Amino acid sequence: MMQASFWYAARYSVQASCLSPLRTGGPDGDPETVLLDRDGGCLIQGSSLAGAFREWVTNWQGPSLSDQLFGTQQNEGCLIISDGRFAPDTLVERRPRLRIDRATGTAARGGKLDLAQVGAGSSFSFEILWRGTERCPEQQKAVEAMLGAMQAGQIRLGAQKNNGLGRVALTVTRQFFDMHQPGDWTAWLEETGKGELLTLPAAPARRTLFVLEGEIDGLLVKASSSRFKQEGGKGSYLPNLEENGAAVLPGSSVKGAVRSWSERIVKSMNLTTDLTDQLFGAAPENQRQGRAGRVRVEDLRLVNAKKRQISRIRINRFTGGVIRQGLLTEEPLYSPVRLELSVLDATSLECALLLYALRDLGLGLYNLGSGWAVGRGLLQNARITVTLPDGRSLTMSIPKGGSCRLEDPDGVASEWSCAWKEAQA
């Protein structure tokens, strides 16, 4: 007589909504396409979902529980995860990107590209099926914990996760089956029953969160060069990058600015350049393996930004004269901003470096977006709030034209200052 492979099962039906764009690469590696199913719909593979979940469970509880859930080469796991399928009307957007040569700080050869991604606000659905020969609350708790981590933004999907992409919000229903019960057996075979709406548990924090708030003056987030608009009587102008009707400064752009300034700080203080590679990552070079970064920067979305069109002329650098047809109209943005940056398992030295870099951004020593040479993208009246995984925090206020004020009731800045001085010794 054949033994049943499982007597108990739990089906988690997940409806996911993209809070930020999601990048799913196609099989040919083309950055200007996303992964599609045979019917032409956007798709995220079940193996990608399983990989993201497995990594989190391994870091949370270790490889033993992870192997039980997801399996090994010798043994099958108790989870089956379906592909995530998007709604038929899902919008695919493209963002202009520019690869930077770290040695020169300039654009890499052939580094300009448009990156395709599923737009924020898109939705997709998938299922997680748990099976066991006996009840196992520990494994089901782990499944619900990893869904809670995804809801909290700790698990991101797709590529470009550290550049703010791949964050989703979840609605989950759970249906439990005991195959000893005729009603459950019938519901399993006929796929009937709605299940219960699940309240996801809070996820343990591992990231140090930096939040920079302030006002930005004249931010330029230029769209692709081919996207010129015409408005009656005003001529052509290059619009700002917009998604879902709001201007967006991509997290990759913000991270690039913060990284570049952090490298200047490290160099000026004669610290090891490996410090910035540990934080922001490093590409493989000269037989050296690449390294994934631990800093994550969210997109900067300007929902109610004020716009003002300003005309400029392009100058010929050889003659010093005006380039023919060189009139250009730009549309700088004026808006309150909230910039979020977080780092995984941060050391005191790394936190000190990031705090200095964000402080200098708040002081207007460097900018965001385009137009630094003409004073675009400078922050004013900045306030930095840092929250550690253990709940401790500090606040730094940078009023316009004033000096920095630090509020550090938990003594966090003192720890970071000591680590900074030790690194200089």
Side-chain angles (χ1 to χ4, degrees), residues 274-348:
D274 193 50
L275 179 58
T276 51
D277 288 345
Q278 291 175 9
L279 280 171
F280 298 96
E285 184 180 4
N286 297 329
Q287 299 183 341
R288 184 185 68 176
Q289 288 187 340
R291 174 185 294 169
R294 291 181 288 114
V295 169
R296 176 183 295 161
V297 183
E298 308 295 341
D299 289 341
L300 186 58
R301 296 186 175 272
L302 308 176
V303 179
N304 297 313
K306 296 179 181 179
K307 303 177 181 180
R308 185 174 64 188
Q309 292 191 4
I310 297 177
S311 296
R312 298 176 56 200
I313 55 175
R314 297 188 182 97
I315 300 298
N316 188 315
R317 300 301 179 189
F318 293 98
T319 66
V322 178
I323 297 176
R324 181 174 296 180
Q325 296 180 340
L327 181 63
L328 172 66
T329 300
E330 297 173 331
E331 194 175 58
L333 304 173
Y334 303 82
S335 173
V337 295
R338 176 185 170 88
L339 187 158
E340 290 190 14
L341 178 154
S342 64
V343 57
L344 180 67
D345 298 332
T347 66
S348 295

Side-chain angles (χ1 to χ4, degrees), residues 9-14 49-50 52-54 56-58 60-61 65-66 68-70 77-81 126-132 136-151 155 170 172-176 198-203:
R11 178 184 290 123
Y12 297 86
S13 300
V14 184
L49 293 167
F53 285 130
R54 180 169 195 152
W56 186 86
V57 172
T58 302
W60 174 53
Q61 289 285 5
L65 179 58
S66 178
Q68 294 175 33
L69 292 173
F70 299 96
C78 61
L79 294 185
I80 298 176
I81 301 179
F126 65 95
E127 285 191 350
I128 299 177
L129 178 63
W130 172 87
R131 306 158 302 157
C136 188
E138 179 188 7
Q139 292 182 357
Q140 293 176 50
K141 179 181 177 182
V143 173
E144 294 165 18
M146 69 188 193
L147 288 170
M150 181 172 285
Q151 170 77 2
I155 298 178
L170 305 180
V172 183
T173 58
R174 176 185 60 191
Q175 190 175 6
F176 187 79
L198 188 63
T199 300
L200 298 175

Side-chain angles (χ1 to χ4, degrees), residues 218-235:
L219 177 67
L220 288 175
V221 194
K222 294 181 180 179
S224 301
S225 58
S226 60
R227 292 181 57 207
F228 280 83
K229 291 183 178 180
Q230 285 281 351
E231 291 198 352
K234 294 184 179 179

